[in-house]
Amino acid sequence: MTRIEIRRRRILVDGRPDLVLAGEVHYFRVPREEWGDRLDLLVEAGCTCVASYIPWLWHELPDGTLDVTGSSRAERDLGAFVDLAAERGLTFLARPGPFVMAELKNEGLPYRLYTEHPEIVPVGWDSRPAPTRTVDYLAPAFLAEVQRWFDAVLPVLAARSAVRGGPVIGVQLDNEIGMLAWVSNSPDLTDGLVDDLGAWVSERYADRPAAGRLVAAARSAGSDPGWWRSLVRTPTGEVAADLRVELGLFMRERFAAYVDALASMVRGAGLDGLPLLINIHGTEGGNGVPFAIGVSQLYRCYAGKEGFAAGSDHYLGDMDRSTTTDIHFVNAVMEAVNGPDQPLTSLEFEAGTGDYEAGLDRLTDACAVDLKVRLCLAQGNRLINYYLLAGGINPPLEEKVGDGNDRISFTGRRHGTAAPIGPEGQRGLTFAATAAVTRAAGLHARWLADHDEERDDIALAFWPDAFLTEYHHPSSEPMTRVVRDLEAHRGPGPHKAMSRSWLFDGWRFSAVDVSDPGRPLPGVVALACGEVLDDGVQQRLVRHVRDGGGLLLLGPVPSTDTRGRPCTTLADALGVSAGERVRSTHRHYGSVRGLGPAAAWGEMRVGWWQELRGPEGAVPLVEDVDGHLCGLGVRLGEGRAAVVAAEVPSSPQLFTLLTEWLGARRGLGLETDVPGVVVTTSGTPAGERMLHVLNPTGYAASVAVTPGDPTDLLERPLAVPPRTGAILALGLDLPCGVRLDSANAELTELCDDGFAVGPGLGRQTELWVSGGRPSCADPEVDVVAAQGRWRVLAPDARAVRLAVRSPAAPA
């Protein structure tokens, strides 16, 4: 029996923190006689866990029976695949849907559901048919069918649960819930859902005065449901702004109710005691900022719920400065809404070359998987599932449907051609890189499973309702006007300037949900927003500043709430008023320059600026070249606010100047000759520490940091090659009985009588050891006593293998 818990932002296995390194292998796409080969490759890649979707579409036969034992075809024997993984010492992460996507037709649902239960099939705006194969998740007929599917598949998993001594360590509930409606902007407006919306709105405002026509309409829905349904599907100007907000809030609660229903089925089937996982969608076209839409949609499903964890699902291609910002943002916004026990995880972690259409349109560099894994681990990810680790062959449907290929997937015969392991089991272009970083993560797992990033007293403000933009009628100006404003300014700011500037100047930060009054705010909060900002958030930011906090506000001065009503609480408290925005054009080249505390910034071209007027004593920060003030500092109560009403580009210098004026200080100094290097530190409860260095650029970088190294080694410049990263010891207790106080090279081997490191980041490899006496068989490697420690020097930055002979301390 194994006890698996989610506590203190960790995955605990029998009380000990564990790092889960998984790879997705689709047993249904691999001939059964080749299952063992794929699992062997997964082990070779350094993974400790195998994950797989379990498609309802694959296991249901044309007569409606469900085969999960392989009676109709060997590749349907789910239990055999899980047992085979267990024989290799692997755990299993189950993803039984009911939706699984995975490039399967109907997203993995049987065809018959749509014909036998037409009431579950939604229409969208203007009663148009949904363009995707989505359903109304809470439709009674759908839930009954899901129960039937779970009754067949869950006992196979329950018999192999880790709680019963088996390999199954977690169950994902559904997949990318709400994604299909978001990407198509076609909400699931079945009659049942729209009627439920009316009841929900009426109850929500039961003790409040009628708030406009929407509430009045909802209250009359019972007597005239047809009129209410028509109003929701084709909203008029009077109700549109309210409907956008209420529909988004309602769907959050509906998704949460759906997840609760699935959780009840899973736990009732004997899988209680295992973590339940939610896969969050959202990256779009190589951009990570829309990921927060998925968080906004789904955080009510899992945030703060015992036994639940959420995982990211991201596809961002090559690792460049934009992708680095995106990955950091994805993890930050997940952490912003997580409960105190919930860890960061990634349930679909892109590992291949990126061309999912089996062509030559994209070829992601192998270094991308290495750098993405390292950044996620530095931020505290406890589970990474490579998707897709192994490709395969799409089997034919049991019944032809005449759709061009008659296979279970729309990708054709071969699937996962970009994966580290190809469809026929060949090692792909990224296999070696994936294996290398996975082995490095596994070697450091004892620390990575139990560490936390050491943060500065700053955070990016995350306002979930800024991403409540998944449903807006395309012809509704009240809806689209608010959505355009939110999309232009939210998250990390225009051009990702705020996050990118902090990240590349050595600030260590995450994000905080500013709409949740139960979450404490750090010393300095940075919010990128447009004219739209809810009154509750504005009030909280005012209190934060008055109580001695700092606020960095980037964007036009907020003037309305999400329903388009005037709302100037923050501006009024700060004494700030704003004029019209002046936008750059092909004839007007708006430029601004720093003043006062920001004077060293100089001058920059901007996309737009907005003239500001502040109270007496306001500190000028930014003005346009004609002298119009567009950035100022305000003192309010015990705190300060810096308001920058201009679309400034990424500028580490500007944002550091402003952040320090607000009272924050960096715990790490960073000097580098290449912009785009990321450094951070992390530590365990036992006081062991690591320095994480990433260079996603194509340039060799000289990197000097001040991480608090007692030996001074890591406070000297490091030479970091292009597109590489490293985990460097800042005091790690090794199994051989010594403490690695510092090293400019990453650990590559750990054993009971010694250890090894790779090439050093400099002219020579250097490390400092205490608590034992290291020795090296290489005569050119010097091991000398110094400062009460042993100093090891290897010429030519070569890899070093050391034996530890005795615990004798140096003289």
Side-chain angles (χ1 to χ4, degrees), residues 53 137 175 230 242 301 309 483:
Y53 284 125
Y137 293 107
N175 187 59
S230 177
D242 282 343
C301 297
V483 168

Side-chain angles (χ1 to χ4, degrees), residues 214-572:
L214 179 68
V215 178
R219 288 174 178 166
S220 64
S223 59
D224 193 354
W227 178 73
W228 165 250
R229 293 168 187 169
S230 177
L231 181 68
V232 170
R233 290 167 180 156
T234 307
T236 64
E238 289 184 66
V239 303
D242 282 343
L243 176 63
R244 188 194 69 81
V245 175
E246 299 297 344
L247 179 59
L249 297 176
F250 168 73
M251 291 305 297
R252 281 182 185 164
E253 302 305 318
R254 195 169 180 88
F255 292 149
Y258 174 58
V259 166
D260 287 346
L262 296 182
S264 179
M265 294 180 196
V266 169
R267 287 168 171 159
L271 285 157
D272 50 313
L274 294 184
L276 301 178
L277 307 172
I278 302 296
N279 192 27
I280 303 175
H281 57 271
T283 57
E284 180 183 33
N287 182 10
V289 176
F291 177 83
I293 294 174
V295 176
S296 167
Q297 287 182 291
L298 299 181
Y299 77 99
R300 294 283 295 164
C301 297
Y302 64 85
K305 291 185 179 181
E306 185 175 357
F308 277 78
S312 61
D313 179 335
H314 52 76
Y315 296 89
L316 295 166
D318 273 319
M319 186 71 162
D320 55 22
R321 287 188 293 175
S322 182
T323 310
T324 303
T325 308
D326 287 337
I327 292 286
H328 188 277
F329 178 74
V330 162
N331 289 320
V333 295
M334 285 175 44
E335 184 175 334
V337 299
N338 276 350
D341 284 328
Q342 293 175 315
L344 293 175
T345 76
S346 183
L347 291 167
E348 290 195 26
F349 195 99
E350 184 180 28
T353 55
D355 197 319
Y356 302 103
E357 300 300 326
L360 298 176
D361 297 336
R362 296 175 61 190
L363 190 65
T364 302
D365 285 349
C367 67
V369 65
D370 179 275
L371 291 164
K372 290 174 185 176
V373 169
R374 290 179 181 278
L375 180 55
C376 286
L377 292 175
Q379 289 183 266
N381 274 58
R382 314 297 186 189
L383 181 156
I384 287 176
N385 179 37
Y386 297 121
Y387 191 96
L388 188 64
L389 184 70
I393 304 299
N394 289 311
L397 291 163
E398 292 290 340
E399 281 188 329
K400 292 185 177 182
V401 294
D403 63 358
N405 69 18
D406 286 318
R407 295 183 179 273
I408 66 170
S409 173
F410 54 75
T411 58
R413 179 177 178 274
R414 301 175 79 234
H415 184 79
T417 57
I421 302 169
E424 292 77 30
Q426 67 273 36
R427 292 170 179 79
L429 292 176
T430 63
F431 180 82
T434 304
V437 73
T438 308
R439 287 193 290 265
L443 189 76
H444 291 81
R446 67 186 65 207
W447 302 293
L448 294 173
D450 196 31
H451 78 139
D452 295 294
E453 187 178 15
E454 297 170 335
R455 303 267 171 75
D456 298 315
D457 194 23
I458 65 172
L460 189 71
F462 175 55
W463 175 37
D465 286 5
F467 292 87
L468 199 70
T469 55
E470 63 270 31
Y471 312 125
H472 51 280
H473 192 287
S475 299
S476 170
E477 196 276 337
M479 284 187 174
T480 56
R481 182 179 68 249
V482 172
V483 168
R484 283 196 302 268
D485 180 79
L486 293 171
E487 289 177 339
H489 305 284
R490 63 193 180 186
H495 314 297
K496 307 171 187 176
M498 189 175 287
S499 285
R500 183 178 294 156
S501 299
W502 268 357
L503 187 61
F504 295 150
D505 209 25
W507 291 95
R508 299 166 297 177
F509 66 98
S510 188
V512 61
D513 180 0
V514 292
S515 68
D516 183 352
R519 293 178 184 269
L521 301 181
V524 173
V525 174
L527 173 66
C529 71
E531 296 175 354
V532 177
L533 186 63
D534 267 348
D535 186 58
V537 175
Q538 294 193 38
Q539 289 184 40
R540 189 173 190 214
L541 295 176
V542 170
R543 290 193 299 271
H544 173 65
V545 177
R546 280 186 172 144
D547 292 342
L551 170 65
L552 175 53
L553 188 68
L554 176 65
V557 176
S559 58
T560 66
D561 66 11
T562 55
R563 302 170 193 268
R565 301 174 302 198
C567 184
T568 58
T569 301
L570 180 58
D572 294 344

Side-chain angles (χ1 to χ4, degrees), residues 26-31 102-104 387 391-395 408-409 415:
H26 291 162
Y27 63 94
F28 54 93
R29 283 176 162 136
V30 177
E103 296 76 50
L104 294 174
Y387 191 96
I393 304 299
N394 289 311
I408 66 170
S409 173
H415 184 79

Side-chain angles (χ1 to χ4, degrees), residues 2 4-6 11 13 18 20-22 48-50 90-94 157 160-163 166-171 271 273-277 383:
T2 299
I4 301 178
E5 300 172 283
I6 291 175
I11 298 173
V13 179
D18 189 39
V20 180
L21 300 169
T48 59
C49 175
V50 59
L90 296 166
T91 55
F92 184 73
L93 182 60
L157 302 173
R160 294 163 175 82
S161 167
V163 176
V168 179
I169 61 168
V171 179
L271 285 157
L274 294 184
L276 301 178
L277 307 172
L383 181 156

